[in-house]
């Protein structure tokens, strides 16, 4: 699956590397969901057969769902596969639609910047405090938090690129992601 969508598969080394990074995020997110489905099914089967269970699985599933959400978000946005209510954009004059797309892009960039800034502060604080999340599996809190600023950086970049595409008059929703 290639993310050579509205931005085109061509481009310099940065663009190709960026697309590969987004594809890797999507791949890791997808594989994580598959592994979780298999592990939960196995856990249920073992428990029903009276063979025990994986006591750590619920905790790992919680972390995996949280991390997967943040990993997949930039990839989904890049593909144009996110929830998009385009009633106004499709039924208004082109200039208004373009302004609305820019407003959404700038708003998304601001929110992403907020995620990066505050996510970084919280991650650094957790690291300096040596904070540990103690449940079934003790884990350094910063390891769980770092996904927020990393994902925020990719989202920020993607929203900036979307604004640039709007300014160039390019379509934000790839043809393969249309109404079908």
């Amino acid at each position: 699956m290639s993310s050579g969508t509205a931005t085109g598969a061509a481009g310099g080394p940065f663009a190709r590397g960026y697309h590969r990074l987004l594809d890797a995020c999507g791949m890791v997110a997808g594989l994580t969901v598959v592994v979780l489905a298999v592990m939960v099914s196995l856990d249920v089967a073992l428990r029903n057969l009276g063979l025990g269970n994986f006591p750590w699985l619920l905790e790992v599933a919680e972390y995996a769902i949280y991390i997967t959400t943040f990993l997949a978000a930039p990839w989904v946005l890049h593909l144009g596969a996110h929830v998009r209510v385009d009633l106004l954009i499709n039924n208004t004059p082109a200039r208004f639609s373009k302004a609305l797309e820019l407003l959404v892009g700038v708003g998304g960039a601001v929110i992403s910047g907020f995620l990066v800034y505050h996510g970084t502060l919280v991650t650094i604080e957790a690291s300096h405090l040596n904070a540990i999340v103690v449940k079934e599996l003790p884990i350094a809190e910063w390891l769980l938090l770092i996904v927020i600023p990393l994902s925020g950086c990719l989202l920020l970049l993607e929203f900036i690129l979307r604004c640039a595409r709007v300014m160039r008059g390019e379509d934000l929703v790839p043809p393969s992601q249309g109404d079908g």
Side-chain angles (χ1 to χ4, degrees):
M1 170 182 311
S2 173
S3 63
T5 59
T7 58
F14 174 78
R16 286 189 299 275
Y18 173 68
H19 292 162
R20 272 186 265 184
L21 177 60
L22 291 179
D23 284 344
C25 287
M27 184 66 72
V28 168
L31 288 173
T32 301
V33 170
V34 169
V35 168
L36 274 179
V38 169
M39 292 300 296
V40 167
S41 298
L42 182 59
D43 187 60
V44 169
L46 289 173
R47 193 173 327 132
N48 286 336
L49 293 171
L51 300 174
N53 68 338
F54 304 122
W56 46 264
L57 186 59
L58 179 60
E59 184 179 344
V60 168
E62 290 171 358
Y63 296 149
I65 290 169
Y66 149 75
I67 291 169
T68 297
T69 301
F70 276 97
L71 272 181
W75 174 67
V76 169
L77 179 63
H78 179 73
L79 291 177
H82 57 291
V83 173
R84 179 180 163 93
V85 181
D86 54 9
L87 181 68
L88 278 176
I89 291 170
N90 289 341
N91 294 303
T92 56
R95 286 183 75 180
F96 182 77
S97 294
K98 185 175 181 177
L100 194 56
E101 288 280 14
L102 279 173
L103 180 65
V104 169
V106 168
V110 167
I111 292 168
S112 299
F114 179 82
L115 279 174
V116 171
Y117 177 74
H118 287 284
T120 300
L121 291 179
V122 170
T123 302
I124 290 170
E125 181 180 17
S127 176
H128 284 124
L129 293 174
N130 290 321
I132 304 291
V133 177
V134 180
K135 290 185 177 181
E136 191 70 34
L137 303 170
I139 186 167
E141 188 176 28
W142 73 268
L143 286 172
L144 298 172
L145 294 172
I146 193 129
V147 71
I148 297 171
L150 294 177
S151 174
C153 283
L154 291 174
L155 284 167
L156 177 61
L157 180 56
E158 187 57 35
F159 276 115
I160 291 169
L161 292 172
R162 289 174 68 80
C163 287
R165 289 193 294 267
V166 168
M167 295 301 291
R168 288 191 306 261
E170 296 177 16
D171 191 9
L172 293 180
V173 179
S176 63
Q177 300 294 323
D179 297 325

